[in-house]
Amino acid sequence: MEVLYRSTRGAKEAVTASQAILQGLAHDGGLFVPTEIPQLACDLRTLAGMNYRELAYEVMRLFLTDFTEEELKACIAGAYDEKFDTEEIAPLVKVGGAWHLELFHGATIAFKDMALSILPHLMTTAAKKNQIKNEIVILTATSGDTGKAALAGFADVPGTRIIVFYPKDGVSPIQEKQMVTQKGDNTLVVGIHGNFDDAQNGVKAIFGDEALAKELDAAGFQFSSANSINIGRLVPQVVYYVYAYVQLLARGEIADGEEINVVVPTGNFGNILAAYYAKLMGLPIAKLVCASNENKVLYDFFRTGEYDRNRPFILTSSPSMDILISSNLERLIYRIAGADAGKDTELMAELSKNGKYTITSAMRGQLQDFCGYFASEPESAATIRGAYEEDGYVMDPHTSVAACAYRKYKEETGDARTTVIASTASPYKFTRSVMEAIDAEKYGKMGDFELVDELQALSGTKIPNAIEEIRSAPVRHKTVCEVQEMEQTVKNFLGIR
């Protein structure tokens, strides 16, 4: 069965998976969605006998149908290799009554590695398949983790350049250091005066500028995206939810066909959408718990049916979730509107104009698989401290938001199903927040890298290479600009005047 992709905003032409990956964002500003969700082709017991690379092929081949077996297996082999510090790629660890799916064992110690390790391979393969002669310019906004993972993936990849915009004062010190020390002659990192939504809106505006696209084409360039708006990011994320389920099955923790719950700390909505796609493929998932921090726009949406970004933007200890415009939610909106591109376009126009929209009661009825919970900053810190004191396990602030949300969900519903929590980043990426949550008085005055050493002593875990290599790495990227200067910054980097 061939799976094609259409825009959520109604462009009639369907494109192949490789074309959707190359474009990133549809020409009409919409997001590419599969014309249908394929069903898992193997039974769960068979999948349970596979390693991560084998399972990745079985899932991804169903979505990326214009890639040959040889092409896709080569992409997978190039992605899930020694860059990961564990053969399992995504291990499951039991903590406090739930299973933590550790998605941070890749090169940049965040879950973005799971997809951004393979995206450069998918994109360069797609370029060859489609006889693309232009140099591909990856343009990405980041709230902290996507940037470094994308930079690491695309650095020095022939035929590509990558430009990452991040909020100058809106990421952790270690997140920033990871980005601004990035090597690679084809890389540019730019801090903007603004928040993540400003960066994301700026990138979308550049993508939507037809005159600029023609100017780039004349100079031998074309844009694509490494954000989760790219379907090439979303499809690899489906894999690890299937992997988590079949690993629980292989260990005898669940019966074949038994439903589980999944809890995901959520900002741009891509990670939880991947879990939803896994459910639609036939994976036995009961509830999808959307966990928010104090920027709880998604919590309010699932509680009321109104999406409203007109609220203060709060900088929290979980910066990758400091987002008020969750781009991937559009894919869900399109689906619950019955694949009605007109309705989706109408709601997105309302969001752009008024900063909010309200879905219909019929659409709300399609959201029974989801529920929303949030954690305040004190609750998140208490969850980190509690997990350490009770289980000797140290988690990062994004995972603690999810763990807190799960506790609230369980207390409110009494639902005792086996639950998987997406553990999205290493605690080493957020050492200050983590260590101050455990003991603010003891660790509050230490430097960031002193805290790294303290965390190693505390947790008994090895300091990741991603942290060791930036201790003394020189800063290579010092560009800072205003939001309105983003386009010119891109042109300067590409040598277009």
Side-chain angles (χ1 to χ4, degrees):
M1 181 187 76
E2 184 181 24
V3 174
L4 297 174
Y5 292 82
R6 294 189 189 279
S7 168
T8 51
R9 300 193 190 175
K12 301 245 184 314
E13 183 186 358
V15 300
T16 64
S18 64
Q19 290 168 335
I21 288 169
L22 284 171
Q23 286 186 44
L25 192 68
H27 294 311
D28 59 6
L31 277 61
F32 285 113
V33 288
T35 49
E36 55 187 302
I37 303 291
Q39 297 299 291
L40 290 170
C42 296
D43 64 80
L44 296 170
R45 284 283 177 199
T46 299
L47 293 173
M50 297 180 182
N51 65 30
Y52 195 89
R53 286 168 285 276
E54 293 166 338
L55 182 69
Y57 175 73
E58 286 302 323
V59 173
M60 292 174 64
R61 73 179 178 85
L62 303 174
F63 284 98
L64 309 180
T65 54
D66 67 324
F67 285 73
T68 67
E69 179 178 350
E70 182 182 13
E71 288 170 339
L72 187 52
K73 284 185 174 178
C75 290
I76 289 167
Y80 304 113
D81 57 9
E82 67 279 353
K83 290 189 293 293
F84 288 81
D85 64 18
T86 170
E87 178 63 27
E88 292 173 284
I89 306 297
L92 275 169
V93 180
K94 187 78 172 286
V95 183
W99 291 91
H100 284 228
L101 178 62
E102 293 188 342
L103 302 172
F104 52 77
H105 289 274
T108 75
I109 58 176
F111 83 98
K112 308 296 174 72
D113 289 322
M114 301 299 295
L116 283 166
S117 292
I118 194 170
L119 183 61
H121 298 280
L122 294 174
M123 197 166 284
T124 51
T125 302
K128 289 175 189 171
K129 292 176 75 67
N130 290 276
Q131 290 83 50
I132 298 298
K133 304 300 181 193
N134 284 344
E135 193 166 349
I136 298 168
V137 180
I138 306 299
L139 195 61
T140 291
T142 185
S143 54
D145 287 338
T146 287
K148 175 59 182 179
L151 289 161
F154 282 95
D156 293 324
V157 171
T160 70
R161 299 198 198 186
I162 178 166
I163 305 167
V164 170
F165 291 98
Y166 74 97
K168 184 70 182 76
D169 299 312
V171 300
S172 80
I174 285 179
Q175 282 179 312
E176 183 173 46
K177 188 79 182 287
Q178 280 189 298
M179 288 189 283
V180 299
T181 57
Q182 176 65 49
K183 297 177 183 177
D185 292 338
N186 67 333
T187 66
L188 176 67
V189 180
V190 183
I192 67 152
H193 292 130
N195 59 40
F196 169 74
D197 289 335
D198 296 322
Q200 182 168 252
N201 287 337
V203 165
K204 284 184 176 180
I206 293 171
F207 266 106
D209 189 330
E210 292 183 10
L212 178 61
K214 289 178 182 176
E215 199 175 348
L216 257 70
D217 186 56
F221 299 107
Q222 68 185 66
F223 285 133
S224 190
S225 174
N227 277 84
S228 55
I229 56 175
N230 193 315
I231 198 70
R233 272 276 305 272
L234 190 60
V235 169
Q237 291 179 273
V238 176
V239 174
Y240 49 72
Y241 291 109
V242 180
Y243 183 73
Y245 186 94
V246 299
Q247 286 304 299
L248 290 172
L249 181 59
R251 296 182 191 187
E253 296 290 341
I254 55 174
D256 193 349
E258 180 182 341
E259 288 189 326
I260 65 169
N261 293 328
V262 173
V263 187
V264 186
T266 310
N268 221 17
F269 206 74
N271 202 4
I272 195 167
L273 184 70
Y276 180 56
Y277 275 21
K279 177 182 171 72
L280 295 176
M281 292 183 79
L283 196 69
I285 295 175
K287 275 291 183 187
L288 295 154
V289 180
C290 179
S292 299
N293 65 15
E294 290 182 353
N295 292 290
K296 54 188 182 68
V297 63
L298 288 166
Y299 165 82
D300 292 336
F301 170 72
F302 284 115
R303 295 278 166 151
T304 68
E306 180 182 64
Y307 191 97
D308 186 357
R309 67 174 176 84
N310 299 310
R311 63 185 70 201
F313 187 97
I314 302 168
L315 292 174
T316 73
S317 61
S318 46
S320 297
M321 300 161 67
D322 291 346
I323 295 173
L324 295 181
I325 303 175
S326 300
S327 290
N328 269 289
L329 186 64
E330 182 172 348
R331 286 185 165 112
L332 180 62
I333 294 297
Y334 175 81
R335 184 173 184 86
I336 64 175
D340 183 343
K343 183 63 176 176
D344 176 81
T345 303
E346 173 195 324
L347 293 175
M348 294 308 115
E350 284 183 32
L351 180 64
S352 179
K353 182 181 178 182
N354 304 315
K356 61 182 178 179
Y357 61 81
T358 303
I359 61 174
T360 65
S361 57
M363 291 170 72
R364 283 196 73 183
Q366 299 293 311
L367 294 177
Q368 299 307 307
D369 295 327
F370 292 88
C371 61
Y373 289 82
F374 81 97
S376 67
E377 283 289 274
E379 287 173 328
S380 174
T383 302
I384 292 172
R385 186 167 56 252
Y388 171 68
E389 291 174 350
E390 294 165 25
D391 297 291
Y393 186 82
V394 183
M395 67 179 73
D396 90 290
H398 303 77
T399 306
S400 72
V401 166
C404 180
Y406 170 59
R407 177 181 56 77
K408 290 182 177 182
Y409 168 77
K410 194 173 180 183
E411 288 174 356
E412 187 174 296
T413 65
D415 185 348
R417 284 188 186 93
T418 299
T419 296
V420 169
I421 293 174
S423 183
T424 54
S426 166
Y428 282 99
K429 202 154 193 167
F430 302 94
T431 48
R432 181 160 302 283
S433 297
V434 168
M435 299 303 280
E436 289 185 358
I438 291 172
D439 190 337
E441 189 174 330
K442 182 175 180 180
Y443 300 116
K445 293 190 173 77
M446 291 187 181
D448 289 308
F449 285 99
E450 282 183 281
L451 291 172
V452 167
D453 295 325
E454 290 291 331
L455 177 55
Q456 181 186 35
L458 196 79
S459 64
T461 57
K462 183 183 176 185
I463 299 172
N465 288 336
I467 299 299
E468 289 289 10
E469 67 187 14
I470 63 170
R471 279 187 191 261
S472 57
V475 172
R476 299 169 59 91
H477 302 273
K478 300 177 182 178
T479 305
V480 179
C481 75
E482 304 298 329
V483 174
Q484 60 268 27
E485 297 170 336
M486 289 171 64
E487 181 178 317
Q488 189 58 51
T489 302
V490 170
K491 291 169 78 169
N492 291 346
F493 180 57
L494 300 178
I496 299 172
R497 296 291 182 263

